[in-house]
């Protein structure tokens, strides 16, 4: 049986993408503190992960009073490899 080992950063990246997707369906951005609290991830660590996901074009940050993160691609187009690819987390 083949076992795939993934880093904590990739695991939390997957969790963050799923959280953002499920909580921004109405178009509202999801804030880092909201994700961190729901998923029990350090806010500082999550900020690093979200920065990598944003650089990879998977999520998009929105500034302002209603700021936060939204999914930047069509959900049907996001694959495990998009989040797993080492370049995503440099």
């Amino acid at each position: 049986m083949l076992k795939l080992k993934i880093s904590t950063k990739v695991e939390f990246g997957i969790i963050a993408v799923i959280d953002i997707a499920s909580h921004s369906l109405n178009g509202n951005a999801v804030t880092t503190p909201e994700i961190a609290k729901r998923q029990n991830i350090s806010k500082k660590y999550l900020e690093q992960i979200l920065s990598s996901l944003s650089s990879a074009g998977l999520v998009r940050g929105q500034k302002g009073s209603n700021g936060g993160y939204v999914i930047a691609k069509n959900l049907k187009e996001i694959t495990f490899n998009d989040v797993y690819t080492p370049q995503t987390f440099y």
Side-chain angles (χ1 to χ4, degrees), residues 41-70:
I41 302 172
S42 156
K43 184 178 168 247
K44 185 173 182 172
Y45 192 45
L46 182 58
E47 287 169 348
Q48 295 171 7
I49 293 167
L50 291 171
S51 176
S52 295
L53 292 171
S54 182
S55 294
L58 297 175
V59 300
R60 182 178 63 248
Q62 296 181 339
K63 297 183 187 259
S65 60
N66 294 321
Y69 287 90
V70 294

Side-chain angles (χ1 to χ4, degrees), residues 14-33:
I14 293 166
I15 290 168
V17 168
I18 292 169
D19 186 284
I20 293 167
S22 63
H23 288 92
S24 65
L25 293 175
N26 59 3
N28 293 333
V30 182
T31 68
T32 304

